[in-house]
Amino acid sequence: MRETPRPQGTAGDAGPKLPQHRPGRALAHTTGASGSGTPHRSDGRSPQTPRGARHTGPTGRPGTSPPVPGRPALLVLPASGLLALLALVTWQVAAGGPLRGADERAARAVVGHGPAPLTELLADLGNTQVALPVLGCAIVWALLRGERRGPLYAALAMAAVPLLVVPLKDWIARPGPLTGATGYYPSGHAATAAVAYGAAALLTARCVRDAGGERWARGVWRWVRTWMMPVAAVLLTAGTGIGLVLRGYHWPLDVLGSWFLAGLLLLPSYRVGRAGSGTRQRPK
């Protein structure tokens, strides 16, 4: 913090003089309390503000503690946007709107394409036998590292998948691409994959943020949490959706609606991770 400027001498000054009190202006330096002679600010505040008591301004102006930079924000739509998109897709599927017609034409054009073993493997990534163990390992690791809120929100998000998907399936009663049976919107496999792999990525990224060690090791961990985890989650989720469509297990809008639903379920976990990274201490 800058000190109050001392009065400057001019060419006509014969020598140092005591500062003169000017009407309507506070005296910059006055004798302290009890005649100690210690200069203090005219408003009675201490000349230095403790670092911990400084508050960060909204624009990070000089003199305030700057905000601690956190992990780069993921491109996540706000809850209102995701809810609006989910409502739009659900309405089009239920009412047989133009999006549903285009969706079914596109699906019929691509069903059966691609190597069958590969597309079947991709579709199986949405099975609970595959996705849940991945999320379970991430939850256990986070708990061992002292996390509490993140694992709780991840488990609640996964538990909410069948609670929301099953009633929607019964209500919409959409037939499948290759069968007359109903109950295909939204896709439970696509929602399971998106929530499981997305929550696992958020948990692991949050847990490796404090990794120490050499400078190169910290750089590797930073790359892992910033890029590798989110990219892996996106690839696994997208691969599951592609496999489900190419194998004829679901229409594209079945998958898309599940992704919007999963995004809503993952928002609490994402915000917990952002809040945790925003409160990190700077390395000393």
Side-chain angles (χ1 to χ4, degrees):
M1 181 175 295
R2 297 180 179 177
E3 296 182 355
T4 306
R6 299 180 183 273
Q8 301 293 327
T10 60
D13 291 335
K17 296 181 181 180
L18 293 176
Q20 300 297 321
H21 177 72
R22 298 182 181 181
R25 301 188 64 174
L27 189 61
H29 290 76
T30 60
T31 306
S34 304
S36 62
T38 304
H40 63 78
R41 296 175 63 171
S42 58
D43 58 1
R45 291 180 294 171
S46 61
Q48 295 292 337
T49 304
R51 181 175 296 274
R54 298 181 183 178
H55 299 284
T56 303
T59 57
R61 294 181 179 179
T64 61
S65 300
V68 179
R71 180 166 45 90
L74 300 177
L75 299 178
V76 179
L77 289 173
S80 57
L82 287 170
L83 187 60
L85 291 172
L86 176 61
L88 173 64
V89 172
T90 303
W91 166 57
Q92 285 290 295
V93 172
L99 285 181
R100 175 168 173 169
D103 173 59
E104 294 178 354
R105 290 191 297 271
R108 293 190 182 99
V110 299
V111 167
H113 286 66
L118 177 60
T119 54
E120 187 70 28
L121 175 64
L122 292 176
D124 287 343
L125 292 175
N127 290 342
T128 55
Q129 298 90 336
V130 179
L132 288 187
V134 174
L135 178 59
C137 291
I139 289 176
V140 170
W141 187 44
L143 290 173
L144 292 176
R145 301 219 10 131
E147 298 287 342
R148 291 297 180 267
R149 294 177 62 193
L152 174 62
Y153 286 143
L156 291 176
M158 181 53 66
V161 170
L163 297 178
L164 296 175
V165 168
V166 173
L168 278 174
K169 283 178 175 288
D170 293 338
W171 175 48
I172 302 299
R174 186 183 192 185
L178 302 177
T179 178
T182 60
Y184 280 78
Y185 177 88
S187 168
H189 284 73
T192 298
V195 171
Y197 301 134
L202 291 172
L203 285 174
T204 51
R206 177 171 164 81
C207 288
V208 301
R209 72 179 189 274
D210 294 324
E214 299 294 334
R215 183 175 180 180
W216 66 268
R218 293 196 299 269
V220 170
W221 282 119
R222 188 179 300 110
W223 179 83
V224 167
R225 72 170 184 263
T226 305
W227 295 107
M228 195 180 81
M229 298 299 181
V231 168
V234 169
L235 290 178
L236 290 173
T237 302
T240 303
I242 292 172
L244 291 171
V245 172
L246 293 182
R247 293 301 297 164
Y249 296 145
H250 279 286
W251 306 100
L253 284 184
D254 299 347
V255 174
L256 194 60
S258 295
W259 287 349
F260 295 146
L261 177 62
L264 285 170
L265 296 177
L266 288 174
L267 274 180
S269 297
Y270 172 76
R271 287 171 178 168
V272 167
R274 290 292 299 159
S277 63
T279 57
R280 286 181 292 162
Q281 299 294 325
R282 289 178 179 270
K284 297 182 179 179

